[in-house]
Amino acid sequence: MGDKLRIAVLTGGGDCPGINAVIRAVVKRAIMELDMEVIGFEDGYQGLVQNRFRSLQYEDVSGILTLGGTVLGTSKTANPFRYPNKIGDETVFQDLSKNSIENIEALGVECLVVIGGDGTLGIASRLYGEGVPIVGIPKTIDNDIRETETTFGFDTAVQIASDGIDRLHTTAQSHHRIMIVEVMGHNAGWIALHAGTASGGDVILIPEIPYDIEIVSEYVKQRNKRGKRFSIVVVAEGAKPLGGDVVVKRLVKESLDPVRLGGIGFLLGEQVERHTGLETRTVVMGHLLRGGTPTAYDRVLATQLGTRAVSLIRKGVFGRMVGIQKGSLVHIPLEKVATGPKKVPLEHPLLGASRAVGTCFGDKLL
Ligand code: F6P
């Protein structure tokens, strides 16, 4: 170990366009301006627990600004406080937080930069409580992290979803079909609301507004009567019918967030076809929304958040997450962040604007 101040970076949870842009920003600023040494733990908290890391030099991050995914790898199941260990068919959970903290100390890491969603940042908050100097950077396509107005990855996901919905429009129109498009977003409707509005979805169903299938079907039938012989229904994976529940695709019990959503699109497709008698098709956009190059907006946001995180380290300000409030860069105590998903408020102006151009949200007919 040299004389330089050493910091470490890890990326946890689902990948998301713009993570590499953040890693690049942190590493470049730390090396160029502050002459620090940077290492990266591999595969999120798994690398921290297993003491698996690599050096991050300028050359390692040069050219990754536009690259999707994370060059460090990630994990959705590794949690130092509840680390899954497979013994035969059984999964046994162990608290390996002490070993993880020892790894950080032995490496002489002065600050751990954690890039992640609410689960990953929740663990970061606990590690900070145990004395680890940490700075968090919010990451998710879902845009559901509290205390920040937006997250990088969201703009890219909305763009990909909108491009897809635009393409589905022409085929729906040609065949006079109802096209159901299921998009990710976890238990929040941000992606569906934005992509649905951007691409003129006729119906948008989000978790925050339970839908009535009779209303959705009646709306589609009325469009048909008016000569609009196709409809686009954008449904968030976490949407649910009135009095009903979300559709669960799988349970990953090792994960911090064991419920994987998905499948509402097919259920809804069957229901709409039955209620309207109109031919229906379902498309699930799924992980497509998480892949590939980030938009210019997300690259800019990622660069701002990454470089700001290094400012906090320079000032010795830890236990904070960098974020955006009222359009400006801010930092917030980590403990305030991991308190459940940020949902779409029912008074959100975009909901009003979208209704005002005739979009049905499954709760009332216009
Ligand atoms: O949080 C990001 C996200 O893509 C959610 O939108 C989605 O519910 C979930 O991750 C999918 O998880 P996995 O990658 O485990 O399938």
Side-chain angles (χ1 to χ4, degrees):
M1 222 179 305
D3 297 335
K4 293 184 178 181
L5 196 73
R6 179 182 264 194
I7 63 169
V9 184
L10 74 75
T11 59
D15 70 343
C16 149
I19 301 185
N20 286 327
V22 176
I23 297 173
R24 168 184 177 269
V26 170
V27 173
K28 281 197 169 184
R29 181 162 193 208
I31 291 177
M32 292 198 308
E33 199 179 314
L34 305 170
D35 197 29
M36 290 174 176
E37 193 185 338
V38 189
I39 60 168
F41 285 107
E42 294 173 342
D43 304 330
Y45 289 115
Q46 198 179 82
L48 177 60
V49 170
Q50 298 173 352
N51 210 19
R52 222 162 15 86
F53 61 90
R54 73 173 102 120
S55 161
L56 289 173
Q57 304 288 338
Y58 184 95
E59 297 70 38
D60 297 314
V61 298
S62 179
I64 66 169
L65 175 64
T66 59
L67 196 65
T70 160
V71 291
L72 286 175
T74 188
S75 159
K76 287 188 97 171
T77 52
N79 172 358
F81 294 94
R82 193 172 173 271
Y83 196 76
N85 206 354
K86 265 222 167 268
I87 301 176
D89 286 344
E90 280 282 292
T91 301
V92 183
F93 294 95
Q94 282 174 284
D95 183 351
L96 296 179
S97 56
K98 289 225 161 25
N99 312 49
S100 308
I101 294 169
E102 278 164 20
N103 290 342
I104 292 172
E105 287 168 355
L107 284 166
V109 169
E110 306 278 344
C111 177
L112 177 63
V113 178
V114 176
I115 305 167
D118 57 352
T120 303
L121 294 173
I123 296 170
S125 179
R126 285 184 73 182
L127 285 171
Y128 175 67
E130 300 291 328
V132 180
I134 288 197
V135 172
I137 303 181
K139 161 245 62 151
T140 173
I141 61 163
D142 302 335
N143 194 36
D144 63 348
I145 300 183
R146 284 183 189 273
E147 303 292 334
T148 185
E149 274 156 21
T150 189
T151 52
F152 68 83
F154 173 61
D155 185 66
T156 307
V158 168
Q159 190 60 54
I160 298 169
S162 302
D163 290 346
I165 299 167
D166 288 348
R167 286 175 188 277
L168 293 171
H169 246 106
T170 54
T171 167
Q173 208 159 8
S174 310
H175 288 265
H176 319 300
R177 282 175 176 158
I178 314 303
M179 202 58 93
I180 314 277
V181 193
E182 180 182 309
V183 294
M184 280 189 170
H186 211 213
N187 288 306
W190 296 104
I191 297 177
L193 174 61
H194 281 252
T197 305
S199 48
D202 304 297
V203 179
I204 301 176
L205 303 177
I206 61 174
E208 293 82 354
I209 307 177
Y211 68 86
D212 182 336
I213 189 63
E214 303 282 347
I215 290 177
V216 173
S217 307
E218 186 51 36
Y219 180 86
V220 165
K221 282 200 279 189
Q222 283 181 11
R223 264 179 63 81
N224 231 46
K225 276 196 204 124
R226 291 202 313 273
K228 294 279 189 188
R229 295 174 60 207
F230 74 98
S231 287
I232 302 285
V233 179
V234 181
V235 59
E237 62 178 1
K240 45 183 175 262
L242 267 179
D245 217 338
V246 290
V247 178
V248 175
K249 187 166 58 186
R250 74 164 59 101
L251 284 171
V252 187
K253 69 174 194 277
E254 298 82 16
S255 180
L256 267 181
D257 165 33
V259 177
R260 294 289 182 275
L261 299 170
I264 183 78
F266 290 105
L267 183 78
L268 189 67
E270 279 166 25
Q271 289 175 333
V272 169
E273 189 162 281
R274 197 162 5 98
H275 279 70
T276 61
L278 298 167
E279 201 182 6
T280 303
R281 294 285 187 273
T282 293
V283 172
V284 179
M285 301 210 71
H287 294 81
L288 273 177
L289 305 189
R290 283 197 350 216
T293 188
T295 58
Y297 178 90
D298 280 337
R299 295 177 205 174
V300 169
L301 180 59
T303 303
Q304 286 178 299
L305 294 172
T307 52
R308 176 52 75 94
V310 178
S311 302
L312 296 191
I313 298 172
R314 190 189 52 195
K315 291 180 194 147
V317 177
F318 303 122
R320 317 284 293 185
M321 178 192 83
V322 289
I324 301 285
Q325 282 178 8
K326 297 196 178 115
S328 297
L329 279 171
V330 292
H331 53 92
I332 311 108
L334 268 174
E335 80 223 26
K336 283 178 96 179
V337 175
T339 49
K342 179 187 73 181
K343 303 247 191 181
V344 177
L346 294 182
E347 65 283 3
H348 194 280
L350 186 54
L351 272 176
S354 202
R355 284 193 200 271
V357 294
T359 312
C360 172
F361 282 86
D363 54 343
K364 51 188 169 208
L365 283 169
L366 305 172

